[in-house]
Short mmCIF file of all heavy atoms in Angstrom, two decimals:
data_model
loop_
_atom_site.label_atom_id
_atom_site.label_comp_id
_atom_site.label_asym_id
_atom_site.label_seq_id
_atom_site.Cartn_x
_atom_site.Cartn_y
_atom_site.Cartn_z
N TYR A 3 148.96 -10.93 16.10
CA TYR A 3 147.68 -10.28 15.81
C TYR A 3 147.38 -10.44 14.33
O TYR A 3 148.25 -10.87 13.55
CB TYR A 3 147.70 -8.79 16.20
CG TYR A 3 148.80 -7.99 15.54
CD1 TYR A 3 148.60 -7.39 14.30
CD2 TYR A 3 150.04 -7.84 16.15
CE1 TYR A 3 149.62 -6.67 13.69
CE2 TYR A 3 151.06 -7.12 15.54
CZ TYR A 3 150.84 -6.54 14.31
OH TYR A 3 151.83 -5.84 13.68
N HIS A 4 146.15 -10.11 13.92
CA HIS A 4 145.81 -10.19 12.49
C HIS A 4 144.82 -9.08 12.15
O HIS A 4 143.65 -9.14 12.54
CB HIS A 4 145.21 -11.57 12.17
CG HIS A 4 145.10 -11.83 10.71
ND1 HIS A 4 144.27 -12.79 10.19
CD2 HIS A 4 145.70 -11.25 9.63
CE1 HIS A 4 144.37 -12.79 8.87
NE2 HIS A 4 145.22 -11.86 8.51
N ILE A 5 145.32 -8.05 11.49
CA ILE A 5 144.47 -6.91 11.13
C ILE A 5 144.70 -6.57 9.66
O ILE A 5 145.59 -7.13 9.02
CB ILE A 5 144.78 -5.68 12.02
CG1 ILE A 5 146.25 -5.27 11.89
CG2 ILE A 5 144.39 -5.95 13.47
CD1 ILE A 5 146.61 -3.98 12.58
N LYS A 6 143.94 -5.61 9.15
CA LYS A 6 144.04 -5.31 7.72
C LYS A 6 145.33 -4.55 7.38
O LYS A 6 146.08 -4.93 6.49
CB LYS A 6 142.83 -4.50 7.28
CG LYS A 6 142.83 -4.21 5.79
CD LYS A 6 141.56 -3.60 5.33
CE LYS A 6 141.64 -3.30 3.84
NZ LYS A 6 140.67 -2.29 3.45
N ASP A 7 145.57 -3.45 8.11
CA ASP A 7 146.65 -2.56 7.69
C ASP A 7 147.08 -1.66 8.86
O ASP A 7 146.31 -0.80 9.31
CB ASP A 7 146.11 -1.69 6.52
CG ASP A 7 147.12 -0.69 6.01
OD1 ASP A 7 148.26 -0.68 6.52
OD2 ASP A 7 146.76 0.10 5.11
N GLU A 8 148.30 -1.88 9.32
CA GLU A 8 148.81 -1.09 10.45
C GLU A 8 148.88 0.40 10.12
O GLU A 8 148.84 1.25 11.00
CB GLU A 8 150.22 -1.56 10.83
CG GLU A 8 150.22 -2.93 11.42
CD GLU A 8 151.63 -3.46 11.63
OE1 GLU A 8 152.56 -2.66 11.76
OE2 GLU A 8 151.78 -4.70 11.65
N GLY A 9 148.97 0.70 8.82
CA GLY A 9 149.07 2.09 8.38
C GLY A 9 147.82 2.91 8.68
O GLY A 9 147.83 4.14 8.55
N LEU A 10 146.74 2.24 9.07
CA LEU A 10 145.51 2.98 9.37
C LEU A 10 145.46 3.49 10.81
O LEU A 10 144.48 4.12 11.22
CB LEU A 10 144.29 2.06 9.13
CG LEU A 10 144.12 1.50 7.71
CD1 LEU A 10 143.03 0.42 7.68
CD2 LEU A 10 143.77 2.64 6.75
N ALA A 11 146.52 3.20 11.57
CA ALA A 11 146.47 3.47 13.02
C ALA A 11 146.20 4.94 13.36
O ALA A 11 145.42 5.24 14.28
CB ALA A 11 147.77 3.01 13.67
N GLU A 12 146.81 5.86 12.62
CA GLU A 12 146.67 7.30 12.93
C GLU A 12 145.19 7.72 12.81
O GLU A 12 144.65 8.39 13.70
CB GLU A 12 147.57 8.11 11.97
CG GLU A 12 147.29 9.61 11.87
CD GLU A 12 147.72 10.36 13.12
OE1 GLU A 12 148.46 9.78 13.94
OE2 GLU A 12 147.28 11.53 13.30
N ASP A 82 138.62 -1.11 10.54
CA ASP A 82 140.02 -1.52 10.40
C ASP A 82 141.00 -0.52 10.98
O ASP A 82 142.08 -0.88 11.46
CB ASP A 82 140.32 -1.80 8.92
CG ASP A 82 139.61 -3.05 8.40
OD1 ASP A 82 139.66 -4.09 9.08
OD2 ASP A 82 138.97 -2.96 7.34
N ASP A 83 140.63 0.77 10.94
CA ASP A 83 141.54 1.77 11.50
C ASP A 83 141.60 1.66 13.03
O ASP A 83 142.66 1.86 13.64
CB ASP A 83 141.13 3.20 11.05
CG ASP A 83 139.71 3.55 11.40
OD1 ASP A 83 138.92 2.66 11.77
OD2 ASP A 83 139.36 4.75 11.32
N VAL A 84 140.49 1.28 13.63
CA VAL A 84 140.47 1.10 15.09
C VAL A 84 141.32 -0.11 15.47
O VAL A 84 142.12 -0.05 16.41
CB VAL A 84 139.00 0.92 15.58
CG1 VAL A 84 138.97 0.48 17.03
CG2 VAL A 84 138.22 2.21 15.38
N ALA A 85 141.17 -1.20 14.70
CA ALA A 85 141.97 -2.39 14.97
C ALA A 85 143.46 -2.04 14.89
O ALA A 85 144.26 -2.44 15.75
CB ALA A 85 141.62 -3.47 13.95
N ALA A 86 143.83 -1.24 13.89
CA ALA A 86 145.24 -0.87 13.71
C ALA A 86 145.72 -0.03 14.89
O ALA A 86 146.82 -0.26 15.42
CB ALA A 86 145.40 -0.10 12.40
N SER A 87 144.92 0.92 15.31
CA SER A 87 145.35 1.77 16.42
C SER A 87 145.47 0.97 17.71
O SER A 87 146.41 1.19 18.49
CB SER A 87 144.38 2.95 16.60
OG SER A 87 144.68 3.63 17.79
N LYS A 90 148.82 -0.82 17.41
CA LYS A 90 150.02 0.02 17.37
C LYS A 90 150.14 0.94 18.58
O LYS A 90 151.23 1.16 19.09
CB LYS A 90 150.04 0.90 16.09
CG LYS A 90 150.01 0.17 14.79
CD LYS A 90 151.12 -0.85 14.61
CE LYS A 90 152.50 -0.30 14.45
NZ LYS A 90 153.49 -1.42 14.42
N ALA A 98 140.95 -9.25 13.65
CA ALA A 98 139.69 -8.84 13.03
C ALA A 98 139.99 -8.03 11.78
O ALA A 98 140.83 -7.13 11.81
CB ALA A 98 138.89 -7.98 14.00
N ILE A 99 139.27 -8.36 10.71
CA ILE A 99 139.40 -7.63 9.44
C ILE A 99 137.99 -7.47 8.87
O ILE A 99 137.26 -8.47 8.74
CB ILE A 99 140.29 -8.41 8.44
CG1 ILE A 99 141.72 -8.54 9.01
CG2 ILE A 99 140.30 -7.75 7.07
CD1 ILE A 99 142.66 -9.40 8.20
#
Side-chain angles (χ1 to χ4, degrees):
Y3 57 88
H4 191 199
I5 59 172
K6 183 172 178 201
D7 178 3
E8 292 173 24
L10 300 170
E12 164 72 14
D82 291 312
D83 56 347
V84 170
S87 170
K90 300 305 291 175
I99 297 174

